[in-house]
Amino acid sequence: RTYEDVLDASTWAVFREGWHDAWGADGDHLKTEEWVRRALAIGYTMITADVSDFIRGEWAARSDAEALAQWQTLDAGVRRGLEERYLRSPFVVDSGEEIRFTPAELARTTLVYREAVDHAARLYRACVAEKGAGRFDFELSIDETATPTTPQAHVFMARESSRQGVAISSLAPRFVGEFQKGIDYLGDVGEFERTFAVHAALCRSLGHRISVRPGRL
């Protein structure tokens, strides 16, 4: 089915059921500026921006020494700005927990996610150009990757995207374990609950919703 077919079918279902309140439709896991503009032009009200092609997960497994060495190849001004934002003081969430970066964690997080931030900004600007600021919901998806989202990565993606003017409605982290459609969660439920609580607190403190991709506990 085409995107038009799906939206037409959904619209008819809403009408048939007699629903009179607000409702919306998500252009899910879109990766290009062309597709986000097309979905919004058709009438979708939300975009899930999939930046997985720009997440450099190979750096998540590299040693501290390798990450710090690569960090030194970045522009000095960029490094200095990131150090000022993330090394001087922790990010404190409403639960009282402090999210701190070591120099190696900052280097690794930057190497994994910096390009993804830039692509999220490109997709967001395409949305604004098509629909206008404030006229759509923008979900940032970083879950389509093998690299679980650390609290540091969550803070980095949200704050650096905001610095580029991106208004995030919701963020979908890559949780520990596996969520797959139609089956139970694969992994340690206790560990998931602990990490979920941290991500939920980060969302409250950063001002966006948390998104859990299809699955069940």
Side-chain angles (χ1 to χ4, degrees):
R1 296 187 295 174
T2 66
Y3 266 49
E4 291 88 348
D5 290 338
V6 172
L7 190 57
D8 287 346
S10 301
T11 303
W12 172 247
V14 170
F15 173 77
R16 183 181 59 198
E17 294 301 318
W19 181 259
H20 296 290
D21 293 328
W23 66 283
D26 177 24
D28 193 28
H29 278 288
L30 301 182
K31 296 184 176 185
T32 68
E33 294 160 87
E34 175 189 359
W35 270 103
V36 299
R37 295 186 70 145
R38 179 178 174 184
L40 290 174
I42 291 168
Y44 287 79
T45 57
M46 174 177 169
I47 295 297
T48 295
D50 184 343
V51 297
S52 58
D53 290 347
F54 294 85
I55 294 176
R56 307 307 178 197
E58 63 272 16
W59 282 103
R62 300 286 184 89
S63 68
D64 288 357
E66 290 174 302
L68 289 168
Q70 185 66 20
W71 167 261
Q72 293 300 319
T73 69
L74 300 180
D75 177 81
V78 170
R79 296 200 313 270
R80 184 165 55 251
L82 289 167
E83 288 167 351
E84 290 175 354
R85 292 193 292 277
Y86 296 104
L87 296 184
R88 286 190 173 182
S89 58
F91 182 81
V92 183
V93 298
D94 61 4
S95 63
E97 186 166 355
E98 296 182 346
I99 307 302
R100 295 179 179 273
F101 287 77
T102 66
E105 284 170 335
L106 177 58
R108 185 177 294 105
T109 302
T110 301
L111 294 171
V112 173
Y113 292 100
R114 185 181 176 210
E115 292 180 37
V117 169
D118 292 340
H119 190 58
R122 287 192 292 269
L123 295 178
Y124 184 81
R125 288 193 292 268
C127 292
V128 172
E130 182 63 42
K131 200 74 173 179
R135 297 177 61 86
F136 58 91
D137 287 319
F138 189 82
E139 176 166 294
L140 180 54
S141 169
I142 54 176
D143 69 315
E144 292 291 327
T145 173
T147 306
T149 306
T150 64
Q152 288 82 2
H154 188 149
V155 171
F156 182 90
M157 284 296 300
R159 294 181 67 182
E160 293 305 299
S161 295
S162 179
R163 281 177 52 81
Q164 294 204 35
V166 178
I168 299 173
S169 302
S170 54
L171 187 142
R174 167 62 163 89
F175 292 106
V176 295
E178 289 186 51
F179 278 107
Q180 297 182 14
K181 294 179 176 65
I183 64 172
D184 291 341
Y185 170 77
L186 302 174
D188 184 329
V189 173
E191 183 182 11
F192 168 77
E193 290 175 340
R194 289 190 296 274
T195 56
F196 179 86
V198 175
H199 284 297
L202 284 170
C203 285
R204 292 192 301 269
S205 300
L206 290 162
H208 53 256
R209 298 186 297 271
I210 194 167
S211 179
V212 182
R213 283 320 197 161
R216 63 191 187 196
L217 287 176

